[in-house]
Amino acid sequence: MYTIEIISTILEQKLLKNNNNANEINELVYDSRKIANPAESLFFALQAARDGHQFIPDAYQKGVRNFIVSEAVPFFTDKHDVNVIEVDDTLAAMQAIVAYHRAQFSFPIIGITGSNGKSIVKAWLFQLLSPDKKVYQSPKSYNSQLGVALSLWNLNAHYDLAIIEAGISEPGEMDRLEKMIKPTIGVLTNIGLAHAQHFDSKTQKLTEKLKLFTGVEALIASPAYIDDSLVPADAEWVRWGRDATDDIRLVETDIHINSTTLHLRIGEEDKTCSVPFTDKASLENIMTCISVLWYLGYGSDVIVERITGLRPLEMRLQLKKGINNTSIIDDSYSNDLASLRISLEFLQQQNQHENKTLILSEMEGLTENDKFQHKLVDLLNTNGINRLIWVGKQYAWLDRLAVANKLVFTDTDELLTSLSDLRFAEESILIKGARVFQFERIVQRLTLRSHGTVMEINLNAISNNLMAYRSLLPNQVKLMAMVKAFSYGSGSFEVANLLQFSKVDYLTVAFADEGVELRTAGISLPIMVLSPDRETFRSLLKYNLEPEVYSMAFLNEFITFLKEENRRDFPIHLKLDTGMHRLGFFPSEISAAIDVINANPEVRVQSFFTHLVASGDPSQDDFTRMQIQQYEESATQLAEGIGYTFIRHVANTSAIVRWPQAHLDMVRLGIGLYGVDMDHTMGNLEEVSRLKTTVTQIKELPAGETVGYDRKGVLKRDSKIATVKIGYADGYLRRFGNGIGKMQIGSQFVATIGNICMDMCMLDVTDVNVQVGDEVLVFPDLMHAAKDIGTIPYELLVNISSRVKRVYYYE
């Protein structure tokens, strides 16, 4: 049991404030939005893109009374009910606490690192070892300095073994991870190009990663990646590969259409098994898993039996549209307390429906660990669950749960039989189950069908891109996020919910209808409407949407309407035209606008802004300076004229990076949020969306035949043609026809042939190994695709039809 006094002793730091509360500390928290059990939480004010000290009042408001800080906090001056410890580095303090906690356990810990394959190997090892061991695995991709700490905090004496994933992005990080994890068995996966930009060489990167294995008893790794000189002293090296000297030898592979037969030498025994994978990465990961099992003493027959049962894993939580206007959150590949917490946080973040249902399976450790039950009950009671559907044989603990509507099914088959009677409609449904329960069958029944083309949206990437831009801003600068045009094709309220959860200050839409949709979906953030008109005035008032005001005529018309509605002090956003010449007041019109605003208390200037024409183009910098100067002069004139302050904003996405002097009170983040770096100034943006389709049919055609409408696709050789499920009605423009468009199947690039059809198009796959049903990446490189047809990525993204199913991923 940890109390604040024990934490103080571990850190060798005195309590600055002590309320003499001996409550047990069970939760380490750093995000004031994710506090489920405040009475037992210890809040760390981490110094990141946003200073965690800013959110101490929020954490306090939610009931947290234990804090770790790295600076004086005036908020605590008159607070006598808090415990506060001040340290030099709050993240280092968390890591020190976790290192102490990890040292309390003597069971084996497998530490996994590498460039690729870490999460897959971890998940497969969990699956392979779970039949006879109680195994803990770090949740999802919690492999960073913070993620590893949070993972290790969940260790307890119930487990026989733990598997912890560790990742680094720059030199020096692995030393801190090793001090926390202290693995007994080391696993090195593939060494590739990930994060290579932060290392001088591949050798330096490998050397840094190997620091994780400083004190291990055994190292599982292929000689393809290391040699004897790199193996830690006193560690047994378990080799896998194709050489006769390897402990686990891959003698031969027979690759079929959807599977591979492995001919293996496991120790001194020859074995054969079939796995449903053909790619090199999966086969390497399987060899790693076999080696771990062999080192742990499993016989070759058991190893082959379990390896044969491996299946592809969906490692990401997915948000899908469900039947009867439901939202399905699919996290059905694993189930433990840590990953359940992540899933419930996402359920709260995506606040799409008032009613929330959780379909949950039994999990390891629940039946015999009362403390585990206590944590689970607290977690479920504080996350607004309206209905719990429990699948499992142990359910007596449900009596302690405050959820009013509780249903119990002994297995998944029984639940599937009763599914139609449960009447799912107008609700969010989180489906969270261990793999053995096969909850993917429930997902299939509840998810709307699609026509084979999907747009995958990585919500983590949006969040990370947001933080990348935020890191460039002073703390006092607000951030407005552009969600117009269906969030640049990425979806509306799904993205807006994430941005609201991330505490952006404003959202911007193009039309009032978009704002109405966000409001009805539960978005409460201030929303600016860029193109309002007379027909939408009533919607603006009803849904509290704030209009851009761009002309004297529009200003007078809106004021007249507000007078008719007896409304006063309504927020407006005044637009200044400094060179775009699209919408806005000229500087010479500001004086007249001031007179109208002063004479009419119906409106209040909430913000004053302009749009930079070419802030990302160095050749136009003189024009940009002129725009900023004109804006500043007009802003001063407006402030003096109306006698009060307002939000000043000029900087668009490019200007956030290139024009820090234009940050002012707020910036507007658009296409950069969605991972498109138009000016190549941000090196750390992540790809947000991936448009995928599938192969419907393959035809063998002789030279001289034609393909598609108007016989435009003329074959110059005997060819193999694949038809894929995407056309111009989906947003794949006709300009991509006749070889202009390039798609990707596996690692191969293929070109279109013939004209693009409404619902389909054809690809020349003559030189590619392809099968019906294979996945096809439509835009392997969005920037290149746009350039190929003489446009910009914006056009490609916003043209992707709403009939294309959006699937959202989150970790």
Side-chain angles (χ1 to χ4, degrees), residues 169 192-201 205:
S169 57
L193 298 176
H195 302 295
Q197 68 271 25
H198 300 298
F199 297 92
D200 294 335
S201 65
K205 180 180 177 182

CSV table of all heavy atoms in Angstrom, one decimal, residues 169 192-201 205:
chain,number,residue,atom,x,y,z
A,169,SER,N,13.1,7.3,-29.2
A,169,SER,CA,13.1,8.1,-30.4
A,169,SER,C,14.4,8.9,-30.5
A,169,SER,O,14.7,9.5,-31.6
A,169,SER,CB,11.9,9.0,-30.5
A,169,SER,OG,11.9,9.9,-29.3
A,192,GLY,N,15.0,-1.2,-37.9
A,192,GLY,CA,14.8,-0.6,-39.1
A,192,GLY,C,15.0,0.9,-39.1
A,192,GLY,O,15.8,1.4,-38.3
A,193,LEU,N,14.1,1.7,-39.8
A,193,LEU,CA,14.4,3.1,-40.1
A,193,LEU,C,13.6,4.0,-39.1
A,193,LEU,O,13.7,5.2,-39.2
A,193,LEU,CB,14.0,3.4,-41.5
A,193,LEU,CG,14.9,2.7,-42.6
A,193,LEU,CD1,14.4,3.1,-44.0
A,193,LEU,CD2,16.3,3.1,-42.4
A,194,ALA,N,12.7,3.4,-38.3
A,194,ALA,CA,11.9,4.3,-37.5
A,194,ALA,C,12.7,5.2,-36.6
A,194,ALA,O,13.6,4.7,-35.9
A,194,ALA,CB,10.9,3.4,-36.6
A,195,HIS,N,12.4,6.5,-36.5
A,195,HIS,CA,13.1,7.5,-35.7
A,195,HIS,C,14.6,7.6,-36.1
A,195,HIS,O,15.4,8.1,-35.3
A,195,HIS,CB,13.0,7.1,-34.2
A,195,HIS,CG,11.6,7.1,-33.7
A,195,HIS,ND1,10.8,8.1,-33.7
A,195,HIS,CD2,10.9,6.0,-33.2
A,195,HIS,CE1,9.6,7.8,-33.2
A,195,HIS,NE2,9.6,6.5,-32.9
A,196,ALA,N,15.0,7.1,-37.3
A,196,ALA,CA,16.4,7.2,-37.7
A,196,ALA,C,16.9,8.6,-37.7
A,196,ALA,O,18.2,8.8,-37.5
A,196,ALA,CB,16.5,6.5,-39.0
A,197,GLN,N,16.1,9.6,-37.9
A,197,GLN,CA,16.6,11.0,-38.0
A,197,GLN,C,17.2,11.5,-36.8
A,197,GLN,O,18.0,12.4,-36.8
A,197,GLN,CB,15.4,11.9,-38.5
A,197,GLN,CG,14.4,12.1,-37.4
A,197,GLN,CD,13.2,11.1,-37.5
A,197,GLN,OE1,13.4,10.0,-38.0
A,197,GLN,NE2,12.1,11.5,-37.0
A,198,HIS,N,17.0,10.8,-35.6
A,198,HIS,CA,17.5,11.3,-34.4
A,198,HIS,C,18.8,10.6,-34.0
A,198,HIS,O,19.4,10.8,-32.9
A,198,HIS,CB,16.5,11.1,-33.2
A,198,HIS,CG,15.2,11.9,-33.5
A,198,HIS,ND1,15.2,13.3,-33.6
A,198,HIS,CD2,13.9,11.5,-33.7
A,198,HIS,CE1,13.9,13.7,-33.8
A,198,HIS,NE2,13.2,12.6,-33.9
A,199,PHE,N,19.3,9.7,-34.8
A,199,PHE,CA,20.5,8.9,-34.5
A,199,PHE,C,21.5,9.2,-35.6
A,199,PHE,O,21.2,9.3,-36.8
A,199,PHE,CB,20.2,7.4,-34.4
A,199,PHE,CG,19.3,7.1,-33.2
A,199,PHE,CD1,17.9,7.0,-33.4
A,199,PHE,CD2,19.8,6.9,-32.0
A,199,PHE,CE1,17.0,6.7,-32.4
A,199,PHE,CE2,18.9,6.6,-30.9
A,199,PHE,CZ,17.6,6.5,-31.1
A,200,ASP,N,22.8,9.2,-35.2
A,200,ASP,CA,23.9,9.4,-36.2
A,200,ASP,C,24.0,8.3,-37.2
A,200,ASP,O,24.4,8.4,-38.3
A,200,ASP,CB,25.2,9.6,-35.5
A,200,ASP,CG,25.2,10.9,-34.7
A,200,ASP,OD1,24.4,11.8,-35.0
A,200,ASP,OD2,26.0,11.0,-33.7
A,201,SER,N,23.7,7.1,-36.7
A,201,SER,CA,23.8,5.9,-37.6
A,201,SER,C,22.9,4.8,-37.0
A,201,SER,O,22.4,4.8,-35.9
A,201,SER,CB,25.3,5.4,-37.6
A,201,SER,OG,25.7,5.0,-36.3
A,205,LYS,N,21.9,3.7,-33.1
A,205,LYS,CA,20.5,3.4,-32.7
A,205,LYS,C,20.4,2.0,-32.1
A,205,LYS,O,19.8,1.8,-31.0
A,205,LYS,CB,19.6,3.4,-34.0
A,205,LYS,CG,18.2,3.1,-33.7
A,205,LYS,CD,17.4,3.2,-35.0
A,205,LYS,CE,16.0,2.8,-34.8
A,205,LYS,NZ,15.2,2.8,-36.1
